[in-house]
């Protein structure tokens, strides 16, 4: 069992967002490029990785991030987070705690988690914001290694996201739990869907993106779930009428927080590629803030 810890602080130095302290313990590592995007962009990009390419049974990863006032920081990965097979009842865990200052932005935009057969994995992300902080969270999981015939074969997956305002006031509390049951497997519950995802957009700097994403999701779902009229009315239906097919991609939006300051998008999809495409399209307007468009 490896205990991996990391701490990182970003502050304004000379008018630029700058990493002022950074620590990680082997086998956890942070990669911080000198510049992502144009030279005028102020965002600090941080890539997390573990030597060996994944999370081993029993591993415990704990990271703390502090994003200073007016800073922009992106936390991402170089590839999907692989969670290897569990040994006995050992559960791998990953904990992220982040504080986001006034007029600051934190974007947590990783590739998906992929759990191997029998894996047990729990992650918890805690974000502490002030009234004018902005936050992007993408949290998603695939069904597993399709090429090996694994689809929702892991034993346990738990993902918790908590957002607190000043004074430890709860703003958003959410947990997703997928666990094999004695009567019903996760695969049976998920049917043909191979990816589930959640996207959170919070804060004043993201207002225009929130509005656009809500409109886009509403239009997408209206088109996908549209039932063409056959002109017969309810009483004129016959056994030969067409029936609804299962959507390959489902998304929904809802607002949360005082005056709807946050938006959460939930997704279920049959392919990982369709979710990558959705994220790229819907988050493209983050490019002026982050330097490059996410999920290119």
């Amino acid at each position: 069992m490896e205990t991996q810890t990391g701490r990182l602080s970003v502050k304004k130095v000379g008018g630029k967002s700058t990493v002022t302290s950074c620590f990680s313990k082997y086998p956890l590592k942070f990669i911080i490029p000198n510049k992502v995007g144009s030279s005028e962009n102020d965002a600090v990009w941080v890539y997390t990785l573990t030597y060996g390419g994944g999370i081993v049974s029993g591993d415990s990863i704990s990271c703390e991030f502090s994003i200073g006032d007016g800073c922009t920081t992106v936390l991402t990965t170089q590839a999907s987070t692989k969670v290897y097979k569990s040994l006995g009842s050992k559960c791998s865990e990953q904990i992220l705690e982040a504080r986001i200052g006034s007029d600051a932005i934190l974007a947590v935009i990783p590739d998906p988690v992929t759990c191997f057969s029998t894996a047990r994995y729990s992650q918890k992300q805690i974000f502490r914001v002030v009234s004018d902080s902005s936050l992007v969270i993408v949290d998603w999981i695939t069904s597993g290694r399709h090429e090996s015939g694994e689809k929702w074969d892991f034993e346990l997956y738990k993902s918790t996201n908590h957002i607190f305002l000043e004074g430890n006031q709860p703003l958003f509390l959410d947990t997703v739990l997928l666990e094999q049951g004695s009567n019903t497997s996760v695969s049976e519950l998920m049917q043909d869907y191979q990816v589930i995802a959640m996207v959170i957009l919070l804060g004043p700097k993201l207002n225009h993106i929130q509005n656009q994403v809500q409109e886009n999701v509403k239009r997408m779902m209206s088109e996908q779930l549209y039932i063409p009229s056959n002109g017969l009315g309810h009483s004129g239906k016959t056994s030969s009428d067409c029936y609804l097919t299962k959507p390959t991609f489902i998304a929904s939006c809802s607002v949360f927080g005082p005056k709807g300051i946050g938006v959460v998008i939930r997704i279920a999809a049959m392919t990982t590629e369709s979710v990558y495409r959705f994220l790229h399209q819907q988050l493209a307007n983050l490019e002026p803030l982050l330097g490059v468009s996410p999920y290119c």
Side-chain angles (χ1 to χ4, degrees):
M1 176 177 178
E2 294 284 354
T3 299
Q4 308 166 37
T5 58
R7 292 188 298 274
L8 186 138
S9 178
V10 179
K11 295 181 181 179
K12 284 286 187 181
V13 177
K16 290 287 187 179
S17 298
T18 305
V19 176
T20 55
S21 66
C22 179
F23 166 82
S24 60
K25 181 180 178 181
Y26 179 87
L28 177 67
K29 184 176 178 61
F30 297 137
I31 296 178
I32 305 170
N34 290 330
K35 179 59 65 176
V36 175
S38 67
S39 58
E40 293 80 19
N41 186 263
D42 191 40
V44 171
W45 282 66
V46 181
Y47 291 82
T48 63
L49 61 87
T50 55
Y51 290 97
I55 300 175
V56 177
S57 177
D59 275 0
S60 178
I61 300 172
S62 178
C63 296
E64 296 181 13
F65 278 68
S66 176
I67 314 304
D69 295 349
C71 295
T72 299
T73 304
V74 180
L75 178 61
T76 187
T77 54
Q78 292 184 310
S80 63
T81 298
K82 300 172 182 63
V83 183
Y84 297 121
K85 295 182 176 183
S86 64
L87 300 176
S89 61
K90 289 183 178 180
C91 184
S92 306
E93 64 176 6
Q94 190 163 208
I95 300 172
L96 168 65
E97 294 194 45
R99 294 182 178 273
I100 303 97
S102 175
D103 196 40
I105 304 174
L106 173 62
V108 182
I109 50 173
D111 292 292
V113 171
T114 297
C115 293
F116 287 28
S117 176
T118 76
R120 299 178 64 86
Y121 176 70
S122 174
Q123 68 176 28
K124 186 173 185 178
Q125 301 186 132
I126 302 171
F127 303 92
R128 303 189 185 278
V129 302
V130 296
S131 59
D132 62 347
S133 302
S134 294
L135 178 64
V136 180
I137 304 170
V138 177
D139 184 9
W140 54 320
I141 179 176
T142 71
S143 61
R145 299 182 297 171
H146 290 193
E147 69 279 4
S148 300
E150 297 178 4
K151 294 184 179 180
W152 306 113
D153 284 343
F154 52 81
E155 291 295 324
L156 171 72
Y157 170 83
K158 183 178 181 180
S159 180
T160 297
N161 287 281
H162 288 175
I163 305 174
F164 295 95
L165 280 169
E166 299 156 288
N168 214 35
Q169 178 184 351
L171 177 61
F172 182 86
L173 306 176
D174 183 87
T175 296
V176 172
L177 175 63
L178 299 175
E179 186 174 14
Q180 303 294 350
S182 56
N183 297 320
T184 307
S185 67
V186 175
S187 180
E188 289 173 315
L189 294 173
M190 297 303 297
Q191 299 183 33
D192 295 324
Y193 294 99
Q194 306 301 323
V195 185
I196 57 172
M198 181 176 72
V199 182
I200 296 172
L201 301 169
L202 170 70
K205 291 188 176 181
L206 305 177
N207 281 340
H208 65 296
I209 300 176
Q210 293 174 342
N211 295 334
Q212 189 62 57
V213 170
Q214 289 183 83
E215 287 298 318
N216 291 346
V217 169
K218 181 179 179 181
R219 185 184 68 254
M220 289 171 57
M221 291 299 99
S222 295
E223 293 172 353
Q224 189 161 191
L225 301 177
Y226 171 71
I227 306 174
S229 172
N230 57 15
L232 296 176
H234 292 292
S235 60
K237 289 183 178 180
T238 69
S239 59
S240 62
D241 288 341
C242 63
Y243 56 88
L244 286 175
T245 58
K246 187 183 299 182
T248 59
F249 187 98
I250 301 173
S252 67
C253 284
S254 58
V255 299
F256 65 88
K259 300 180 181 180
I261 61 173
V263 171
V264 56
I265 305 103
R266 299 185 188 276
I267 300 163
M270 293 187 182
T271 67
T272 306
E273 292 74 17
S274 65
V275 181
Y276 269 115
R277 186 165 55 250
F278 175 88
L279 293 173
H280 172 63
Q281 293 171 347
Q282 304 309 317
L283 301 181
N285 286 335
L286 286 171
E287 181 174 354
L289 299 172
L290 307 184
V292 297
S293 178
Y295 299 105
C296 291

